[in-house]
Amino acid sequence: MAWLQLRIHTSRAQSGTVEAALLAAGAASVTFEDAADQPILEPALGETPLWEAVRITGLFDAAVDTRGAIDTAAAHCGGKLPRHTWELLEDKDWEREWMQHYHPIRCAGNLWICPSWTAPPDPGAVNLLLDPGLAFGTGTHPTTFLCLQWLAAQTLSGTTAVDYGCGSGILGIAALLLGAERVVGTDIDPQALAATHRNVARNGLAVDRFPVYTPAACPGLEADLVMANILAGPLMELAPTLTALTRPGGRLCLSGILATQAETVMAAYTRDFDFAPVQQRQEWVCLSAVKAAR
């Protein structure tokens, strides 16, 4: 099935009106994009920010009456649409389109992240087979890559770990493949919990070695290793929870943090943890620490 896109350039103040106009005109979906290179890397808690200049795209069946759609949308915008264009969109399996661009990644000396549909380049290495589906975590983002590099440098034999905000399960599965005995995962997204289950099985691991829970159902424990690759705001809010999950002498790995946020995040944990030097990749950092003994 072919589709048409109606792209409209507008301002943040008018974005709600334009969205309603596109839906009234019959758009199957509406997408908001930055139109002026104004990145918002981490919104404040509870905030859904928009850029000053916004490009809003309505997706329509290719058989749509384009003139009629324009007239309907314009009527909802005071009689005239802002600058706009129609574009033809080729129909594809968009959920899988990215697969052709996702290749094996060497994260550390002997650790590779391999798409589940390709053969590992080094069969003798520790190869984590991954299909993230709709969950976060492929190893390509600097925050995940930094966490994997840190993990590969740890001694994990026989340890228990927590993967808080597990996403695709990539960090917890890497910990198991590198020697951890058991990982407990948690995520607020049901699709992430399902993706983790699938990836655990894909790597030939017993499901009971990586049980997953919503945060409210996560059992209390003191783990040897706690990992959380989320965002700075939630990491500061979760400081009491992640501290309680880490045993005295246990290790903590935090990421999803911009370099400018590192000091603020560490301040939420310094009463209980001793931090190692910050590791950075592009504008992102990974923080690692050891919990003080009682």
Side-chain angles (χ1 to χ4, degrees), residues 77-233:
C77 293
K80 184 178 180 180
L81 274 184
R83 181 164 59 95
H84 58 277
T85 56
W86 283 102
E87 296 177 4
L88 180 65
L89 179 67
E90 180 185 354
D91 190 30
K92 297 180 180 179
D93 182 356
W94 293 105
E95 185 178 333
R96 294 297 170 185
E97 173 68 11
W98 62 275
M99 291 171 62
Q100 62 180 308
H101 305 292
Y102 180 32
H103 305 292
I105 304 163
R106 187 178 187 178
C107 299
N110 201 38
L111 175 62
W112 287 77
I113 307 301
C114 301
S116 60
W117 54 91
T118 65
D122 181 1
V126 177
N127 290 301
L128 195 164
L129 305 180
L130 192 74
D131 182 351
L134 299 179
F136 176 80
T138 61
T140 57
H141 194 277
T143 60
T144 312
F145 190 90
L146 285 167
C147 290
L148 291 167
Q149 282 194 320
W150 180 84
L151 264 177
Q154 305 304 303
T155 301
L156 300 177
S157 180
T159 57
T160 297
V162 171
D163 187 354
Y164 206 99
C166 56
S168 66
I170 185 171
L171 298 183
I173 294 169
L176 290 172
L177 294 176
L178 290 166
E181 181 61 32
R182 187 169 183 264
V183 176
V184 173
T186 181
D187 204 291
I188 61 174
D189 184 356
Q191 292 183 122
L193 302 182
T196 294
H197 268 306
R198 290 192 297 269
N199 285 318
V200 168
R202 187 170 281 116
N203 283 274
L205 299 167
V207 174
D208 60 2
R209 292 184 64 196
F210 196 165
V212 292
Y213 307 89
T214 61
C218 187
L221 74 155
E222 285 192 325
D224 303 298
L225 172 68
V226 174
M227 304 169 288
N229 180 19
I230 313 176
L231 286 171

Side-chain angles (χ1 to χ4, degrees), residues 23-66:
L23 292 173
S29 68
V30 177
T31 304
F32 292 73
E33 299 173 89
D34 178 11
D37 192 20
Q38 183 192 7
I40 301 173
L41 296 174
E42 182 179 352
L45 291 176
E47 180 185 4
T48 306
L50 275 179
W51 310 273
E52 291 292 340
V54 186
R55 181 170 58 249
I56 304 180
T57 302
L59 184 66
F60 293 83
D61 186 303
V64 66
D65 174 5
T66 55

